Amino acid sequence: MQPLRYSINVTLDGCCDHEAGIPNEALHAHAAEGIAAADALLFGRVIYEMMEEAWRPVAETGERPDWMPEWMVPFARTIHAAKKYVVSDTLKTVGWNAELVRGPDLEKTVRRLKQQPGRGLATGGVTLPLALAERGLIDEYEFIVHPRIAGHGPSPFAGLSTYLDLKLTGRKELASGAVALRYTA
């Protein structure tokens, strides 16, 4: 059985707004390693659309937008190549090496994917991971804690119906001062 791994960037005060983190080369390399170590990515609609808009064009054309430094290109290529499952009841179709999963079938589909042989599945974001955690489907959690206090924003697992007790299994300090903390359920 392959594990489902969740990874999210958070500030010291728990904000997971994608603009609140501190992007740098080490962080993107770490994220690319996590994606490359998975057989597929499991995204909700919002994360899928945000990632596709940011990373697909540069991976396909080699042309970077003004906001993207050269060191982000390997991440773009890695996420572009990954198989993706997109959970959505509103999207009609998906591209970008993706397959659509409907919300009512979420638990059955994720359990089926986890039963297949492989290195693991990876997910991120806020809404979908909350639904996955409520169903006990996430096996490993990674919180990449940035040395910043945001003072605002969403936090992961807001509204979770019960405690999740986790066991620390690893930590990695990144050059930026961020720390990746890994836990198992």
Side-chain angles (χ1 to χ4, degrees):
M1 179 175 343
Q2 59 181 326
L4 175 57
R5 297 182 191 99
Y6 170 71
S7 182
I8 187 113
N9 291 285
V10 296
T11 60
L12 287 169
D13 57 345
C15 173
C16 62
D17 181 327
H18 74 278
E19 294 181 351
I22 305 168
N24 61 59
E25 190 169 358
L27 178 68
H28 279 76
H30 178 76
E33 288 172 16
I35 291 169
D39 289 332
L41 306 177
L42 182 62
F43 287 150
R45 180 192 55 80
V46 172
I47 296 297
Y48 169 77
E49 290 179 333
M50 187 171 62
M51 295 295 192
E52 182 181 29
E53 180 182 350
W55 307 112
R56 186 177 187 175
V58 70
E60 290 183 349
T61 68
E63 295 181 28
R64 293 181 289 118
D66 292 340
W67 61 265
M68 185 183 293
E70 180 67 35
W71 51 260
M72 287 185 172
V73 174
F75 177 84
R77 288 184 185 129
T78 302
I79 196 167
H80 180 71
K83 168 73 176 158
K84 299 160 196 79
Y85 293 95
V86 183
V87 179
S88 174
D89 289 328
T90 57
L91 291 174
K92 301 286 187 240
T93 62
V94 291
W96 201 36
N97 196 24
E99 181 179 317
L100 200 54
V101 174
R102 297 294 177 197
D105 299 329
L106 176 63
E107 185 169 354
K108 184 172 92 175
T109 299
V110 172
R111 289 194 187 283
R112 178 180 53 79
L113 292 171
K114 288 176 65 170
Q115 290 298 323
Q116 296 174 2
R119 299 170 295 155
L121 306 165
T123 192
V126 178
T127 306
L128 175 61
L130 174 60
L132 296 168
E134 286 285 2
R135 291 166 174 83
L137 295 170
I138 299 175
D139 302 293
E140 300 174 18
Y141 293 77
E142 178 183 60
F143 298 91
I144 304 166
V145 183
H146 293 248
R148 173 176 281 170
I149 295 175
H152 75 281
S155 61
F157 304 107
L160 189 66
S161 66
T162 187
Y163 293 117
L164 289 177
D165 294 319
L166 306 174
K167 180 182 178 194
L168 182 66
T169 58
R171 65 176 272 142
K172 179 180 179 180
E173 293 182 27
L174 304 177
S176 64
V179 179
L181 301 169
R182 290 178 300 283
Y183 297 88
T184 56

